[in-house]
Amino acid sequence: MEDKPVVPAHLGIIMDGNGRWAKKRSLPRTAGHAEGLKALKRVICEAARQGIGYVTFYTFSTENWKRSEQEVKYLMHLFVSKIHGELAFYNKHGIRILARGDLNGLPEEVRHAIEQTVLETSNNTTITAIVAINYGGRDEICRAVNKFLSKNPGQGITETAIADNLDLPQVPPVDMIVRSANEKRLSNFLLWDSAYAELAFYEKFWPDWNEEDIRKVCHDYSQRVRKFGGVE
Ligand code: IPE
Ligand code: IPE
Ligand code: MG
């Protein structure tokens, strides 16, 4: 029997292009966000079928507050209604939800919806979906340093000290970061973990992503040679 191709243990996804997807159809940007959520559900199911253990979805960055009040309000409303509103879907598919980012900077209802969902999916074991929300890689590193210093005043900062104080130290570092909509940048996503992550960029707008796109990501990952500074 052929060996199953190696899949990333942890995949990071920068879900981009919701606005452009909507613009192309003369719809408001918010319609793109609603459609993007459907793509997320397709992708998480296929990621589980492929045997990926963790998927981090970049949902809202620390910079996304710069958008119009109307768009931010719509997104926050979407998070409140959908993060906990999809509980039956998570439980049906064995999806455990975790969150990464500065939850204290979110409206109370959003934080509550996340905390409830994390609690109520904690026994699911098929796949872990991590919602990166009010997330910034620089912000996470600063918070990790401050967390360490408050526990160990006056001590020197080491790589281990930072890694152990990131938001989810128990989660393995991301193996591959992919981005939709053809932008080739990280936009402050998982800066610490990305030191040795494989990167891949795809043209399709996020709301158009389906099962086939995740199979393509897995195939592309299986072709990479990871060296971590050593030799093959
Ligand atoms: C990604 O899509 C979703 C969020 C950042 C919340 P965008 O809204 O950035 O879509 P574009 O880049 O404007 O097309
Ligand atoms: C990154 O996308 C943030 C999320 C996907 C949540 P952006 O659309 O905000 O990034 P830039 O502004 O194009 O770099
Ligand atoms: Mg964008």
Side-chain angles (χ1 to χ4, degrees):
M1 213 173 82
E2 227 176 82
D3 275 351
K4 217 173 169 249
V6 181
V7 297
H10 183 176
L11 176 70
I13 304 184
I14 304 174
M15 307 181 286
D16 199 16
N18 293 356
R20 279 163 282 172
W21 180 93
K23 193 173 177 205
K24 214 172 105 185
R25 289 163 177 75
S26 307
L27 294 167
R29 293 178 56 81
T30 49
H33 297 314
E35 201 62 27
L37 198 78
K38 296 183 193 162
L40 195 153
K41 289 172 75 177
R42 291 191 289 272
V43 161
I44 188 73
C45 289
E46 185 58 25
R49 274 191 290 272
Q50 292 297 318
I52 297 174
Y54 300 84
V55 185
T56 299
F57 293 97
Y58 204 4
T59 309
F60 193 86
S61 75
T62 46
E63 286 72 38
N64 285 148
W65 298 106
K66 289 178 194 164
R67 297 187 177 198
S68 74
E69 197 188 326
Q70 187 219 6
E71 185 171 348
V72 171
K73 222 169 146 181
Y74 178 84
L75 284 166
M76 293 300 146
H77 165 77
L78 201 65
F79 301 148
V80 173
S81 66
K82 294 296 179 181
I83 291 183
H84 192 258
E86 294 289 350
L87 192 67
F89 169 79
Y90 310 134
N91 288 337
K92 180 175 171 208
H93 295 278
I95 303 165
R96 175 173 69 140
I97 303 291
L98 293 178
R100 191 162 180 171
D102 184 5
L103 303 190
N104 292 325
L106 288 166
E108 168 62 31
E109 317 86 79
V110 180
R111 193 169 59 240
H112 181 71
I114 294 169
E115 285 166 356
Q116 277 302 110
T117 312
V118 169
L119 201 69
E120 291 169 24
T121 60
S122 62
N123 292 326
N124 292 340
T125 54
T126 307
I127 190 166
T128 300
I130 299 161
V131 184
I133 185 164
N134 195 24
Y135 178 86
R138 290 178 177 177
D139 177 67
E140 185 187 33
I141 293 168
C142 287
R143 287 186 292 104
V145 169
N146 284 319
K147 237 186 269 175
F148 174 78
L149 289 177
S150 68
K151 290 180 284 189
N152 307 278
Q155 275 199 31
I157 299 292
T158 61
E159 289 195 15
T160 313
I162 293 178
D164 289 350
N165 286 282
L166 294 174
D167 291 340
L168 299 172
Q170 74 279 25
V171 170
V174 77
D175 296 300
M176 187 176 204
I177 295 176
V178 300
R179 183 169 187 150
S180 59
N182 214 23
E183 304 294 352
K184 296 174 186 72
R185 55 177 172 266
L186 291 176
S187 303
N188 207 7
F189 187 50
L190 303 180
L191 295 186
W192 186 267
D193 292 23
S194 63
Y196 268 104
E198 296 297 322
L199 306 177
F201 303 94
Y202 299 91
E203 279 190 19
K204 259 194 196 178
F205 295 144
W206 176 251
D208 289 326
W209 274 50
N210 60 32
E211 293 78 2
E212 213 173 292
D213 296 290
I214 279 303
R215 289 197 289 269
K216 169 103 175 76
V217 165
C218 288
H219 171 78
D220 292 348
Y221 181 76
S222 74
Q223 303 299 299
R224 303 290 178 96
V225 179
R226 305 189 72 188
K227 297 198 286 184
F228 300 96
V231 286
E232 227 183 302

